Amino acid sequence: MKISRRELRVLLLHEFRLGRKATEATSNIYGTMGKDVLSIRATQHWFNRFKNGNFELDDLPRSGRPLEVDTDVLKQLIKEDPRLTTRCLAERRGYSHTAVEKHLSELGKTSKYGVWIPHDLSPHQFQHRVDACMELMTSHRNYQWLRNLITGDEK
């Protein structure tokens, strides 16, 4: 069962108000939710906040780059100007450079000659690759290449 951060913090506040210690609260939550839900250090952190009178359970807004990248906006920007670099795309939307690269590769886009294009083969290119592979495989079977191997010695 997946539990949200806020629900977990409500459980911690409940344990705090019952007068339990952080380790005891952690073991109680482990018993009901599992060990991968919470660490003892996180429980200690929240118990310290509760002791200081801070009972705010939601995350405070933070500055910085957004974690989510809107792929539809990236598609639209590339459609408008396919010559944009990943750094330009990142600056325009306020994303990190690496996040833009990651999402473009997930979209199947590669940069060829400064233009973002889909990394798909045309049917002709695909057939050409299949033909080349088949030719190499059949020629290897028919050709006795080991007899023509020349070895030499330094003398």
Side-chain angles (χ1 to χ4, degrees), residues 38-50:
L38 181 69
S39 70
I40 185 71
R41 293 293 298 147
T43 306
Q44 291 170 347
H45 167 76
W46 282 98
F47 270 50
N48 283 335
R49 285 181 65 165
F50 298 151

Side-chain angles (χ1 to χ4, degrees), residues 116-139:
W116 291 102
I117 58 170
H119 186 67
D120 295 331
L121 295 176
S122 68
H124 176 71
Q125 291 171 326
F126 184 75
Q127 187 60 45
H128 181 70
R129 287 187 181 190
V130 169
D131 293 342
C133 290
M134 293 303 290
E135 185 179 329
L136 287 171
M137 288 175 60
T138 56
S139 69

Side-chain angles (χ1 to χ4, degrees), residues 66-84:
L67 296 177
E68 297 294 322
V69 175
D70 191 0
T71 53
D72 294 331
V73 173
L74 279 179
K75 285 180 186 177
Q76 184 63 31
L77 287 172
I78 291 171
K79 191 174 184 179
E80 291 171 5
D81 187 5
R83 296 196 182 276
L84 286 174

